[in-house]
Amino acid sequence: MNFILKFIIVFIIFFSCKKNVYNTKMLQSNYLTQKEIKPEQKTAVSFKDSIKVFHVYYDSIAFNKTERITAINKRLHTHFLEYQFNKGSNELRNLKNIKELSKSRGFLNTLTKDFKNKSFKEVSSIHYSYLEPLNDKYSSRISIEEWYFKDKQKAKYCFESLKKYEEAIIHFKTINWIWIYQDNKIFLVFALDHQVLSKEMQHIKQEIINEIKHSGTYDSVQFYE
């Protein structure tokens, strides 16, 4: 009887030790697995930190397959962040108003009147983003837009009008505009607090040029009031 009791006790002790070893190995395995997936988690965070691109299409047939804003944003991401509209309820209303204004061609209609050129209404799609300098999180937003025209001549005609800005009466309180033209596209960079000659605005302008210069000739004009 004593022998059987001793055997049972030894068996229980052996089984408990084996279970503890197994649990220890499982914990070690989980820890190593967590260490291994850290780079993937970091990549996901980096993706969330990317600069969002908004889209508005006026012509469903003329889809812009050569959109460059996303690539330009990648160039800018080391010095700029996506502008956060959730800084206050007024900012969220601003974003909603901006989207509605884009859909209704509000800005394009004003340019049409000011420059007396109906070609501004011929924009087929606009891709746009809002940025803020990386080291100045309290700065107002800087907008970057890419206008796509189905008709190349319309794009050129609009840009030629913009180059004659001194002859136009422009109905905007603040004008800090950089325009870059190439083929059937016009890029626009503008801000309320950053003048066109500021390092931030010029940095964005240069990165747009760096992105498109290999695709052919381009032209630019900038002005402010």
Side-chain angles (χ1 to χ4, degrees):
M1 188 69 181
N2 290 338
F3 174 79
I4 295 174
L5 182 60
K6 288 180 181 179
F7 177 80
I8 292 173
I9 293 171
V10 170
F11 178 80
I12 292 172
I13 293 172
F14 173 79
F15 181 79
S16 298
C17 293
K18 187 174 182 180
K19 186 176 181 180
N20 288 337
V21 170
Y22 175 79
N23 289 338
T24 301
K25 288 183 177 180
M26 286 297 293
L27 288 172
Q28 290 175 342
S29 175
N30 289 337
Y31 174 71
L32 289 172
T33 303
Q34 289 176 358
K35 287 184 70 177
E36 290 172 0
I37 66 173
K38 276 186 178 181
E40 294 181 7
Q41 291 173 341
K42 186 174 182 180
T43 301
V45 170
S46 297
F47 178 77
K48 289 180 180 179
D49 287 343
S50 62
I51 300 170
K52 186 183 298 180
V53 178
F54 297 93
H55 313 274
V56 57
Y57 297 94
Y58 304 116
D59 185 347
S60 59
I61 299 175
F63 183 75
N64 180 6
K65 297 180 180 180
T66 58
E67 177 259 307
R68 296 290 187 89
I69 289 291
T70 301
I72 292 168
N73 284 345
K74 288 180 180 179
R75 290 178 176 274
L76 293 168
H77 197 256
T78 55
H79 292 88
F80 293 86
L81 297 172
E82 178 185 338
Y83 183 80
Q84 299 300 312
F85 280 91
N86 59 359
K87 291 179 177 179
S89 57
N90 289 335
E91 287 292 334
L92 290 175
R93 282 196 294 271
N94 282 343
L95 178 59
K96 183 178 179 180
N97 292 338
I98 289 169
K99 288 182 177 180
E100 291 300 322
L101 189 64
S102 297
K103 290 179 182 178
S104 65
R105 289 186 171 93
F107 183 53
L108 297 174
N109 289 334
T110 304
L111 291 175
T112 298
K113 294 177 183 178
D114 291 351
F115 290 93
K116 297 179 175 58
N117 186 344
K118 294 181 180 179
S119 293
F120 284 104
K121 293 183 179 181
E122 298 298 321
V123 176
S124 295
S125 64
I126 296 179
H127 306 276
Y128 58 101
S129 294
Y130 299 105
L131 297 73
E132 62 182 5
L134 182 62
N135 298 321
D136 187 7
K137 294 184 179 181
Y138 299 99
S139 173
S140 64
R141 65 181 179 272
I142 301 175
S143 304
I144 174 173
E145 299 187 359
E146 175 183 346
W147 299 3
Y148 174 77
F149 292 78
K150 184 167 56 176
D151 187 332
K152 295 181 181 181
Q153 287 301 119
K154 299 288 186 181
K156 184 177 181 180
Y157 189 24
C158 287
F159 184 73
E160 291 300 323
S161 291
L162 292 167
K163 289 172 69 175
K164 300 175 183 177
Y165 67 90
E166 293 178 337
E167 302 173 10
I169 300 175
I170 305 174
H171 294 87
F172 290 93
K173 292 181 179 179
T174 302
I175 300 173
N176 289 304
W177 294 345
I178 298 175
W179 304 89
I180 302 171
Y181 159 74
Q182 184 184 66
D183 199 22
N184 61 341
K185 292 184 180 181
I186 296 177
F187 294 88
L188 167 63
V189 182
F190 68 95
L192 295 178
D193 298 335
H194 299 273
Q195 286 196 351
V196 295
L197 299 178
S198 69
K199 64 179 182 180
E200 292 84 4
M201 297 281 278
Q202 291 299 310
H203 184 171
I204 295 172
K205 175 185 176 182
Q206 188 57 52
E207 290 299 354
I208 294 174
I209 292 173
N210 290 342
E211 177 63 28
I212 69 172
K213 64 184 180 182
H214 302 293
S215 301
T217 58
Y218 62 87
D219 198 358
S220 67
V221 63
Q222 58 188 37
F223 47 93
Y224 62 93
E225 288 185 2

